[in-house]
Amino acid sequence: MKIATLIIRTLIGLLLLFASISYFFHLMPEPEVTGNFKAFNVGLVASTYLMPLAKTIELLCGLAFVSGRYVTLANVLIMPITLNILFINYFMAPEGLPIAALLFLGNLFLIYRYWDNYKSLFAA
């Protein structure tokens, strides 16, 4: 179980690091979007703080996952972002659904693996 945790944590961390670094340094061209996803994407780009904020959180959580420090905090911070990535890909861009689902399931696995650290959050 330790090896699986290490592998999943590192892969998620590298994926988050790659996505955030490529956003900030414009390493990859923007994919062509159409339909409802285009309207949604225009709205995201129009708000000047949402995408940089989400990508900064992805960068910090990716660093936490790769280094193995503050993984519990990183799981709490990245969960809403991975849930939004999953829903956006499910409803608007189904071609990215497999990666989004793996990211979300990996996050759930890490929450399960570090569950002892979360017990105090749910205590009255």
Side-chain angles (χ1 to χ4, degrees):
M1 192 67 122
K2 282 185 177 183
I3 294 173
T5 303
L6 181 66
I7 290 171
I8 291 173
R9 191 185 75 214
T10 304
L11 287 176
I12 290 175
L14 290 174
L15 179 67
L16 293 173
L17 283 175
F18 175 74
S20 59
I21 289 172
S22 67
Y23 172 80
F24 286 123
F25 293 115
H26 306 289
L27 299 178
M28 296 175 50
E30 290 292 323
E32 191 65 32
V33 293
T34 58
N36 289 339
F37 187 55
K38 184 174 185 176
F40 179 77
N41 203 18
V42 167
L44 276 180
V45 172
S47 66
T48 57
Y49 69 93
L50 281 178
M51 281 303 286
L53 175 67
K55 293 299 180 178
T56 302
I57 291 172
E58 283 183 17
L59 179 70
L60 294 174
C61 291
L63 289 172
F65 285 144
V66 169
S67 68
R69 300 180 59 87
Y70 304 109
V71 176
T72 305
L73 177 63
N75 275 326
V76 169
L77 288 176
I78 205 67
M79 185 60 159
I81 294 174
T82 58
L83 188 62
N84 278 310
I85 290 170
L86 180 70
F87 285 158
I88 288 168
N89 282 297
Y90 181 76
F91 290 112
M92 295 184 199
E95 62 273 359
L97 189 58
I99 293 175
L102 289 175
L103 180 65
F104 182 72
L105 290 174
N107 197 358
L108 286 179
F109 173 77
L110 290 177
I111 288 173
Y112 167 75
R113 184 67 175 95
Y114 292 101
W115 184 249
D116 289 338
N117 298 345
Y118 296 105
K119 286 184 180 177
S120 63
L121 290 174
F122 299 105

